[in-house]
Amino acid sequence: MSQPLLTLDFLDTPAAPAATADHQPAQDVRVSPATRTGRQRKLYIESYGCQMNFSDSEIVSSILFEEGFDTTEQLSDADLVLLNTCSIREKAEQTVRMRLSQINSHKKRNPGLLVGVLGCMAERLKSKFLEEEKLVDLVVGPDAYRDLPNLIREVDGGQKAVNVLLSRDETYADITPVRLNSNGITAFVSIMRGCDNMCSFCVVPFTRGRERSRDAHSIVQECRDLVAQGYKEVTLLGQNVDSYKWTSEDGQEFVNFAQLLERVALISPELRVRFSTSHPKDITDEVLYTMGKYENICKYIHLPAQSGNSRVLKLMNRTYDRPWYEERVQAIRRILGDDCAISTDMISGFCSETEEEHQETLTLIDFVQYDMGYNFFYSERPGTLAARKLADDVPLEVKKRRLQEVIDRQQLHARARYARMVGRVHRVLVEGRSKRSEEQLSGRNSQNQVVIFPKGTAQKGDYVNVLVTSTTGAALLGEIV
Ligand code: SAH
Ligand code: SF4
Ligand code: F3S
């Protein structure tokens, strides 16, 4: 999968992909589970990429539900197949192309089937998609989902349909997502769209458009509704949540991210609040103090560094340097203590990165002692600043070797971070049955670490105190006390 905005362990999500043997979706794809209300047509939707896409698929399902579509988990049952795609790295696009060719062979046997491509690849390739993939009927970018009913009518009328207009104000604030990617306990809430940051390697500003923040009241209302439905955790989503800013139409009310976080935390002490992604240049002490003030705001920050070397960071146009990043980490430690978990994304082998500069990424990993890392080798994306101005000159084998060193170093620290949790009692939100055994439950602690324990009388959605007795290095094991 492409880089998630936040580490979420979907170990126990019931929405296991259910595809027929010859139409198995690739791994790390989310197939939306069935809704059964007797609508006339059936929608099969697969989502790739980040949580933003998974969240968008819930909005798309909601829009199409109003149009008479139920979702199905079976491609073979579908009248309409939608792939919600990702462009972040070349491999993400290749995965989608491969999946499309499988779906196209299915379509040849079922000529009435409609096939649409949504999301970032749709936005990047636009109508070129229809030339390249002749069997695709529909290409719709991330800001044009409200137009889906019209576009589907065009396709029903025998035409191909494209809408890839980006918007400056679309936030889908008024659309209540159909919660497809959910276990009934945890939900994503999108708080902003787009990105204005122009990191030189990144395609997102091109595929997602300008940054815009969603109405604070609609966010709080959505979270309240979730609580009323029994949800226990929300994850506030944005490419750069720390630059959230919303002003009411009359100009009387201004809300920044710290204030939004506080409003959501105040809804209920029983509601856990997570968020992702934090940009190191924007995360403020105010946000950290707000996290410290509320027990129910989880002590976990995804703070992608990308590199540990200041020259490379400058080439990446990240707008911070290593000392700045280290200072932000020290602020987290100062304000929230050593227990606050921190994770990162790192890119190995960016344009002109030297061996010494790569070493600095390793020393940054040692400095921070990350709990978790999502690490990639650089993949040039057409149209980005780096593709236009910089040579992609680190050989693939070197990129891969450096990446492996980053992963290995990161895992050392992750294991140590898990190990230091042994012998302590953790408050865990039970998310469901453990994958391994009927008798075990699985949940996460505030730090986003997976905790597994014998079920006793606890149930999904309960908070339990678990004494952790050992660790596998990727999960904590213990028992309820
Ligand atoms: N908004 C987030 C990142 C979203 S993209 C942030 O600024 O941190 C998720 C991750 O994908 C990035 O953090 C980066 O590590 C990785 N990524 C993005 N473009 C990439 C590219 N061209 N090659 C390799 N990795 C890339
Ligand atoms: Fe991409 Fe940078 Fe925006 Fe993140 S902040 S989405 S890496 S441009
Ligand atoms: Fe997300 Fe991939 Fe688009 S990471 S924003 S789906 S390019």
Side-chain angles (χ1 to χ4, degrees):
M1 169 161 84
S2 154
Q3 167 50 30
L5 279 160
L6 170 79
T7 336
L8 259 202
D9 192 300
F10 272 82
L11 270 184
D12 298 296
T13 314
T20 51
D22 57 333
H23 294 299
Q24 201 69 38
Q27 284 202 322
D28 299 326
V29 179
R30 206 89 46 93
V31 176
S32 295
T35 51
R36 289 189 188 81
T37 55
R39 301 271 150 151
Q40 289 184 338
R41 294 168 90 183
K42 291 222 159 46
L43 161 67
Y44 174 91
I45 179 162
E46 263 178 31
S47 314
Y48 296 76
C50 62
Q51 273 108 340
M52 203 61 104
N53 257 11
F54 301 148
S55 165
D56 280 1
S57 290
E58 300 185 325
I59 288 168
V60 167
S61 302
S62 173
I63 292 170
L64 290 180
F65 187 76
E66 298 301 319
E67 274 296 297
F69 282 91
D70 267 345
T71 47
T72 171
E73 290 167 41
Q74 304 289 342
L75 176 59
S76 52
D77 283 349
D79 302 295
L80 170 64
V81 173
L82 296 176
L83 298 188
N84 196 356
T85 62
C86 174
S87 286
I88 200 82
R89 284 169 289 275
E90 197 182 346
K91 190 156 166 276
E93 293 202 352
Q94 281 166 355
T95 308
V96 168
R97 297 270 191 192
M98 268 156 56
R99 185 62 180 142
L100 262 182
S101 80
Q102 289 174 340
I103 288 167
N104 284 341
S105 67
H106 175 63
K107 180 171 173 166
K108 280 189 186 134
R109 282 173 270 142
N110 303 272
L113 182 72
L114 305 184
V115 178
V117 176
L118 314 178
C120 291
M121 247 176 120
E123 191 61 50
R124 193 176 84 71
L125 293 160
K126 306 188 167 54
S127 52
K128 239 174 84 188
F129 225 126
L130 296 177
E131 292 154 32
E132 291 171 14
E133 302 281 349
K134 294 266 185 284
L135 291 171
V136 169
D137 303 292
L138 194 66
V139 176
V140 189
D143 286 345
Y145 297 146
R146 276 181 210 273
D147 198 26
L148 269 166
N150 296 324
L151 298 166
I152 289 170
R153 277 191 283 276
E154 279 179 41
V155 175
D156 282 339
Q159 289 166 298
K160 304 245 168 187
V162 183
N163 187 344
V164 288
L165 287 176
L166 287 173
S167 158
R168 278 184 169 258
D169 48 26
E170 178 63 271
T171 58
Y172 301 110
D174 56 317
I175 295 179
T176 307
V178 178
R179 302 283 164 191
L180 295 167
N181 300 308
S182 174
N183 47 13
I185 305 297
T186 61
F188 298 129
V189 175
S190 180
I191 65 164
M192 57 204 296
R193 299 181 70 84
C195 182
D196 282 351
N197 279 328
M198 287 302 188
C199 301
S200 63
F201 52 80
C202 184
V203 77
V204 171
F206 303 94
T207 61
R208 293 265 163 181
R210 299 304 297 269
E211 181 181 292
R212 67 220 94 125
S213 297
R214 176 177 166 191
D215 181 323
H217 297 289
S218 84
I219 296 168
V220 172
Q221 191 53 50
E222 186 175 331
C223 296
R224 282 213 181 97
D225 293 345
L226 285 164
V227 171
Q229 290 162 37
Y231 282 83
K232 294 289 177 67
E233 180 181 297
V234 291
T235 301
L236 307 180
L237 287 183
Q239 291 298 349
N240 181 6
V241 289
D242 298 278
S243 72
Y244 176 89
K245 46 187 159 318
W246 174 78
T247 313
S248 61
E249 259 168 44
D250 61 7
Q252 294 299 302
E253 201 184 348
F254 173 78
V255 182
N256 69 14
F257 181 59
Q259 292 159 337
L260 178 73
L261 205 51
E262 177 156 48
R263 287 188 188 195
V264 176
L266 283 169
I267 293 173
S268 160
E270 288 289 293
L271 180 71
R272 272 189 171 176
V273 187
R274 298 184 186 274
F275 55 88
S276 187
T277 298
S278 299
H279 195 297
K281 83 174 157 63
D282 293 318
I283 190 165
T284 59
D285 287 357
E286 190 191 359
V287 167
L288 302 177
Y289 283 117
T290 306
M291 289 177 74
K293 190 167 158 196
Y294 296 95
E295 164 90 34
N296 59 329
I297 303 180
C298 290
K299 305 301 178 277
Y300 168 49
I301 301 174
H302 184 52
L303 193 71
Q306 314 298 355
S307 166
N309 171 265
S310 294
R311 187 192 73 92
V312 173
L313 286 169
K314 192 161 187 355
L315 282 181
M316 288 176 162
N317 202 24
R318 287 291 284 182
T319 70
Y320 55 84
D321 56 12
R322 176 164 180 158
W324 172 279
Y325 188 90
E326 289 189 352
E327 190 284 323
R328 289 291 78 203
V329 170
Q330 282 164 333
I332 294 170
R333 297 283 174 238
R334 186 176 67 241
I335 297 167
L336 294 167
D338 273 349
D339 278 351
C340 182
I342 306 176
S343 62
T344 186
D345 299 341
M346 294 291 191
I347 298 179
S348 293
F350 186 64
C351 310
S352 78
E353 182 192 68
T354 66
E355 212 51 48
E356 293 68 38
E357 289 164 343
H358 158 65
Q359 289 297 326
E360 284 193 49
T361 296
L362 301 180
T363 62
L364 182 64
I365 293 171
D366 292 339
F367 175 86
V368 183
Q369 303 179 14
Y370 292 107
D371 292 74
M372 188 117 50
Y374 300 92
N375 306 304
F376 315 96
F377 63 78
Y378 174 57
S379 164
E380 186 177 85
R381 308 312 294 134
T384 56
L385 218 68
R388 284 181 281 133
K389 304 264 190 240
L390 303 170
D392 179 13
D393 53 2
V394 177
L396 185 60
E397 326 72 89
V398 176
K399 285 181 181 172
K400 286 187 172 167
R401 194 251 307 145
R402 288 181 190 170
L403 171 62
Q404 194 54 53
E405 289 174 10
V406 166
I407 292 171
D408 292 345
R409 186 67 62 97
Q410 172 43 42
Q411 272 173 357
L412 277 180
H413 292 293
R415 269 197 294 266
R417 294 285 295 179
Y418 271 97
R420 68 194 283 283
M421 295 301 185
V422 174
R424 292 162 53 175
V425 174
H426 297 253
R427 190 161 193 251
V428 176
L429 172 60
V430 182
E431 289 174 41
R433 207 170 58 70
S434 143
K435 237 185 192 171
R436 289 173 223 178
S437 150
E438 290 274 349
E439 298 308 310
Q440 307 266 325
L441 292 175
S442 160
R444 280 171 296 147
N445 61 9
S446 175
Q447 288 80 3
N448 206 39
Q449 293 168 317
V450 175
V451 185
I452 296 171
F453 48 93
K455 69 178 177 198
T457 55
Q459 296 194 352
K460 191 163 105 170
D462 289 349
Y463 285 102
V464 291
N465 290 321
V466 177
L467 172 66
V468 167
T469 49
S470 64
T471 169
T472 63
L476 299 172
L477 309 177
E479 51 204 58
I480 298 176
V481 290

